Amino acid sequence: MIEEVVSAHLPVGETLRIQKNRIEGAEPKKRRLAIVTGTHGDELEGQYVAWQLARVLKKRQPLLRGTVDIYPALNPLGISTIYRGLPGFDLDMNRIFPGSSEETMYEYIAGGIIEDIAGADLCIDIHASNIFLREIPQVRINEQSAEMLLPLAKFLNMNFLWVHSAATVLESTLAYSLNSLGTPTLVVEMGVGMRITKSYGDQLITGILSVMSQLFMLEEPCPPVAPPIVSTDGNVAFVNANASGIFIPRVRHEERVEEGQLLGLIADPLSGGVREELHSPASGLIFTLREYPVVNEGSLIARILGGAL
């Protein structure tokens, strides 16, 4: 059933509506799972998950216990205009939560979204990377919420669980706001902006079904999932460019590398020269790799998960 979450009138005479797809099984009020995506208009990996998960759950509806709410587009104007933030504003939607009913239109929308999701047994907030970086399927968790979230996150079928330090947490995100309200919320990052990686989406859907079994929302055996790597900030090495130019990779995403191995070059198309050679600072797994070739000094090139060999 398609339901309206919150709406607001636009200056052009149209209406901005946030909608969800509610799928109910037996005892619909006993458990509730929220699947959220589309906060950033250039992150499309969650669109496939929302579409395919709805199809999968409708086939399993006789086995479903509780309610699944799928929110495919928290920022529908951003998705339709291929704009990462909120169109008309130089603003990231994931920096205005928990919102307010007494402030701007978008803060009113954010407040309505929070009010609708709050109280769910679990929320899964799906993001892709931006257009510049490709990420392996992973869950990012604030260390303040790690004790509550890690047990369920391990069933989500993601390759990597990254527990962030509290110092790097952004308090105005949807996930932080919901976790602060007592609604457990997992943040998934995978793939790259403006693309859909079907294999990653299918991997996550298997994980969602597995988590639902753990929450007693599906009357069927829990799908088998691979145990993820669990790591903290101390196990992650960053590689940044020290020169501007065109990044030419010499490794593949998800490849395991040795300390000192050549990761890529920063080329100078004008002279035909090489401005910089980039080497791995640690042995481990490349879980983030530069996708967009143009780089400037300071651009993130890769993240290496050390000790994963």
Side-chain angles (χ1 to χ4, degrees):
M1 179 188 304
I2 306 301
E3 296 184 3
E4 181 175 296
V5 175
V6 62
S7 64
H9 295 295
L10 296 171
V12 292
E14 297 177 324
T15 302
L16 171 61
R17 289 189 176 87
I18 309 300
Q19 296 176 300
K20 67 180 180 183
N21 184 359
R22 168 158 284 192
I23 302 170
E24 292 183 337
E27 302 178 277
K29 295 184 179 179
K30 192 169 185 178
R31 291 277 187 181
R32 182 160 62 97
L33 172 66
I35 307 295
V36 177
T37 191
T39 310
H40 296 125
D42 62 348
E43 297 182 0
L44 305 180
E45 301 280 7
Q47 298 303 299
Y48 171 75
V49 176
W51 173 74
Q52 183 64 7
L53 181 63
R55 295 158 62 89
V56 168
L57 290 180
K58 284 175 181 174
K59 288 181 181 177
R60 285 176 164 79
Q61 207 155 5
L63 303 173
L64 177 63
R65 296 292 177 268
T67 297
V68 179
D69 286 330
I70 302 175
Y71 304 71
L74 297 192
N75 178 12
L77 294 181
I79 292 175
S80 61
T81 57
I82 322 176
Y83 188 76
R84 182 173 179 80
L86 295 166
F89 299 81
D90 186 18
L91 192 62
D92 183 336
M93 187 176 190
N94 210 22
R95 301 291 182 272
I96 63 172
F97 290 101
S100 169
S101 61
E102 299 177 353
E103 301 294 337
T104 66
M105 178 189 73
Y106 279 120
E107 287 175 290
Y108 170 78
I109 291 288
I113 291 168
I114 287 282
E115 184 178 345
D116 199 77
I117 298 173
D121 293 276
L122 179 67
C123 175
I124 300 174
D125 182 15
I126 305 169
H127 292 258
S129 183
N130 53 35
I131 63 171
F132 302 104
L133 301 166
R134 180 176 289 277
E135 302 279 0
I136 65 170
Q138 59 196 268
V139 179
R140 297 182 181 178
I141 298 173
N142 167 7
E143 67 178 6
Q144 294 174 335
S145 307
E147 184 176 350
M148 174 177 63
L149 298 177
L150 273 176
L152 278 177
K154 291 178 179 176
F155 289 97
L156 205 50
N157 205 30
M158 297 286 94
N159 299 25
F160 173 37
L161 308 185
W162 184 0
V163 181
H164 279 283
S165 70
T168 61
V169 170
L170 297 170
E171 297 183 358
S172 53
T173 63
L174 175 69
Y176 184 90
S177 299
L178 287 171
N179 280 317
S180 297
L181 293 171
T183 300
T185 302
L186 297 170
V187 177
V188 170
E189 291 270 356
M190 61 184 189
V192 65
M194 294 191 180
R195 297 289 183 274
I196 286 176
T197 311
K198 181 177 178 296
S199 60
Y200 288 173
D202 290 335
Q203 180 179 339
L204 177 57
I205 289 169
T206 298
I208 291 172
L209 297 179
S210 178
V211 167
M212 289 178 65
S213 292
Q214 293 298 316
L215 293 172
F216 305 104
M217 293 183 69
L218 273 181
E219 289 189 345
E220 64 178 4
C222 179
V225 298
I229 300 167
V230 182
S231 181
T232 60
D233 288 343
N235 301 112
V236 176
F238 292 74
V239 180
N240 294 86
N242 294 307
S244 300
I246 303 298
F247 175 62
I248 309 294
R250 288 290 185 260
V251 291
R252 290 174 286 105
H253 188 224
E254 300 188 60
E255 184 175 334
R256 297 177 188 276
V257 296
E258 299 289 346
E259 181 178 354
Q261 183 175 336
L262 181 65
L263 300 178
L265 311 171
I266 297 181
D268 180 354
L270 179 62
S271 68
V274 174
R275 291 181 175 169
E276 185 180 7
E277 290 187 350
L278 296 156
H279 298 267
S280 178
S283 298
L285 174 71
I286 300 175
F287 72 92
T288 304
L289 186 63
R290 186 81 182 180
E291 179 80 9
Y292 192 73
V294 178
V295 299
N296 295 312
E297 184 178 343
S299 295
L300 180 61
I301 299 297
R303 296 189 185 103
I304 314 292
L305 178 59
L309 288 170

